[in-house]
Amino acid sequence: MRMDKLTARFQQALQEAQSLAVGMDHAMLEPEHILVALLDQEGGGIRGLLSRAGAQVNALRSALGEKLDSLPRVSGQAGQINLSNDSGRVLNLTDKIARDRGDAYIASELFVLAALDAKLGVSEILHRAGVTKKAVEDAIEAVRGGEKVDDPNAEDSREALKKYTIDLTEK
């Protein structure tokens, strides 16, 4: 997978996931690290996307935290992190989904779809939190409005009205 084909938000989340793994003394970067980074990302859209898809986001975040706490810790690595086979598999699936959708860049929401398809431990955690592939696909379509991801900053421009304005009618 080419890192230059990831959106800026997804690249940032991968860096945050790596920092999380280093901070927890993990030797491998697991899909759970990436998903936690996506959920905790300030200004990111994954938490809202999963809420829109009907997921129990707080339960999901707790389950992911428990999974990360159960991973073995390694000392003496001096911050050296390797990509796990599971993470590589999910990232490759993410790349394939982006290509199939005709996207020029790989957006972070596609990682969630790939994680559901991967049939790994992270898939089970997502399913237990009420995340379904159909609901996530519907939420992605609602957020994207049928547009393709052809800009590395596409995730920042989504739902701009909600981010930068106040809905007086709703208030």
Side-chain angles (χ1 to χ4, degrees):
M1 171 182 278
R2 292 180 38 196
M3 294 299 282
D4 63 326
K5 286 296 181 186
L6 302 177
T7 61
R9 284 268 177 210
F10 198 19
Q11 287 180 20
Q12 180 185 13
L14 287 175
Q15 291 168 355
E16 291 169 3
Q18 184 176 3
S19 293
L20 176 65
V22 168
M24 296 184 83
D25 295 325
H26 295 154
M28 303 298 271
L29 182 65
E30 298 290 345
E32 290 84 358
H33 291 110
I34 300 169
L35 196 50
V36 164
L38 288 169
L39 283 171
D40 293 350
Q41 189 175 45
E42 191 172 318
I46 296 301
R47 187 172 281 272
L49 179 92
L50 289 175
S51 292
R52 185 180 287 215
Q56 301 165 1
V57 179
N58 292 333
L60 172 62
R61 178 59 180 87
S62 295
L64 289 167
E66 289 171 12
K67 173 65 176 174
L68 291 179
D69 288 339
S70 72
L71 292 175
R73 298 181 185 273
V74 178
S75 61
Q77 288 284 333
Q80 190 174 19
I81 298 290
N82 296 310
L83 194 66
S84 73
N85 289 338
D86 289 350
S87 290
R89 182 173 166 199
V90 176
L91 288 170
N92 286 334
L93 276 171
T94 305
D95 186 14
K96 182 181 180 338
I97 291 169
R99 284 188 202 169
D100 291 348
R101 288 176 159 261
D103 293 342
Y105 290 89
I106 303 166
S108 53
E109 66 266 11
L110 299 183
F111 182 84
V112 177
L113 280 178
L116 286 166
D117 279 348
K119 295 180 179 41
L120 300 168
V122 71
S123 310
E124 181 59 34
I125 293 170
L126 285 164
H127 287 298
R128 279 196 310 251
V131 181
T132 65
K133 184 176 178 179
K134 173 75 171 119
V136 171
E137 286 174 339
D138 292 345
I140 289 171
E141 290 308 312
V143 168
R144 285 187 177 190
E147 293 186 17
K148 306 256 184 255
V149 179
D150 56 1
D151 178 27
N153 296 310
E155 291 181 78
D156 291 332
S157 63
R158 289 189 193 143
E159 297 184 322
L161 285 175
K162 283 186 182 179
K163 289 180 187 175
Y164 303 114
T165 63
I166 298 170
D167 186 346
L168 296 176
T169 306
E170 183 180 309
K171 220 174 188 178

